[in-house]
Amino acid sequence: MGYKTLLVHLDDSARREARLALALDLAGRFDAHLIGLYLPMPHPRTPAAGSAPALEQRREQAQAAFLDAGARASCMVEWRAPQPGDTATAVLHARHADLLVLGQRERDDLAIDLSSDFLTDLLMTAARPAIVVPHSGSFPTVAQNILISWDGGREAARAASDALPLLRRANCVSIEVVAARHGTKRMRAEEEAADAAAWLDLHDVSASFHESARDPGVRTGTALLSRASDLHADLIVAGAYAHSRIHERVLGSVTRNLLETMTVPVLMSH
């Protein structure tokens, strides 16, 4: 079991190279076909930047850089620059890939997203796991030391299952459960963590597990990032959006917290 087709989102942002480097690394590990999906921002900052010659020049530069990087990495690559370049188009292409490589939204860089909800819309509707790359930092290694966020829910189970090819190749896998300090919920969390470790063991993945007490003053996502730092994890595996979109936007969520404050790549599934 592995990933046969990967898709990386390319645009005109400064972080395009970081996403591409990570995608090429994964494609090399799994001998996978890598699709470069070029969808730049639809509304440039200045009219001159949005002229037809300027758009064509940026597209040609992005294509040349992608093909050159693929050749240097000896990877099978395919360039796509579909029209229209919107979220619906991205979803259609994403559904024909096994794993997506996307970028965290950077508020100061308008080129990184097609719309304010491009990343979350793709996570919610593509029905494919995605590795989201932070908008800052370098990641020379990824998926060697993996932390799984586990709450026993549907999304967590889906994410862990989608991450199995990476989990099997990792040097270290840890399961983290953030639960109540006492009572039946804490006991249930401990049982769920042990059950998850046993399930992974049947898939040839040896994983340790740990339970953290929920602190009312600390967001769960923040606690997970802190735990990842303590363990020197280079990838977090987490389910995406356990509740309705409206609920998430009003109350916040582990998913949104991770997407906004991530310090290492995060693999998410919905």
Side-chain angles (χ1 to χ4, degrees):
M1 178 182 177
Y3 306 117
K4 296 300 182 183
T5 303
L6 309 182
L7 183 146
V8 57
H9 172 226
L10 303 174
D11 53 20
D12 298 321
S13 73
R15 293 295 290 175
R16 179 179 71 198
E17 292 185 5
R19 294 197 300 276
L20 178 55
L22 189 148
L24 285 169
D25 177 34
L26 293 176
R29 293 189 212 178
F30 292 98
D31 193 24
H33 180 76
L34 176 62
I35 298 168
L37 186 68
Y38 180 70
L39 293 178
M41 69 172 183
H43 303 299
R45 297 173 189 241
T46 64
S51 65
L55 292 171
E56 180 63 18
Q57 182 181 31
R58 290 202 299 272
R59 185 196 66 77
E60 291 177 353
Q61 291 173 345
Q63 181 177 8
F66 172 72
L67 295 177
D68 179 63
R72 285 187 281 108
S74 300
C75 285
M76 300 176 289
V77 297
E78 176 186 351
W79 169 264
R80 295 182 187 176
Q83 292 295 326
D86 55 19
T87 304
T89 300
V91 169
L92 290 176
H93 286 266
R95 285 178 179 163
H96 297 97
D98 299 319
L99 179 66
L100 315 178
V101 179
L102 309 174
Q104 178 192 20
R105 182 184 179 191
E106 186 173 4
R107 298 183 185 279
D108 296 331
D109 190 345
L110 297 180
I112 201 167
D113 286 313
L114 301 178
S115 69
S116 60
D117 290 318
F118 172 70
L119 174 58
T120 52
D121 285 345
L122 207 56
L123 286 172
M124 285 291 291
T125 60
R128 290 293 183 267
I131 291 182
V132 184
V133 183
H135 58 56
S136 60
S138 60
F139 309 99
T141 65
V142 66
Q144 300 300 321
N145 184 355
I146 302 176
L147 177 66
I148 301 174
S149 171
W150 189 263
D151 63 1
R154 172 191 177 279
E155 284 77 14
R158 180 74 268 165
S161 180
D162 288 337
L164 276 174
L166 291 169
L167 295 171
R168 288 196 180 102
R169 294 170 178 244
N171 295 326
C172 182
V173 176
S174 306
I175 300 170
E176 181 71 9
V177 176
V178 180
R181 291 182 178 275
H182 307 289
T184 58
K185 289 186 178 180
R186 181 58 181 264
M187 293 178 59
R188 186 182 306 164
E190 294 175 353
E191 293 172 356
E192 289 173 349
D195 288 343
W199 169 71
L200 287 172
D201 187 63
L202 293 174
H203 288 275
D204 300 320
V205 177
S206 178
S208 61
F209 58 89
H210 177 266
E211 308 89 36
S212 296
R214 182 175 290 111
D215 186 337
V218 179
R219 291 185 176 184
T220 300
T222 302
L224 288 170
L225 289 172
S226 177
R227 180 64 176 166
S229 177
D230 291 341
L231 296 174
H232 303 290
D234 54 18
L235 180 70
I236 296 174
V237 173
Y241 293 99
H243 306 286
S244 70
R245 293 292 297 280
I246 294 177
H247 176 85
E248 298 293 351
R249 285 176 174 169
V250 172
L251 300 180
S253 68
V254 176
T255 302
R256 188 165 294 279
N257 187 209
L258 284 174
L259 289 178
E260 291 176 351
T261 62
M262 65 173 65
T263 52
V264 296
V266 178
L267 186 150
M268 287 188 168
S269 291
H270 176 74

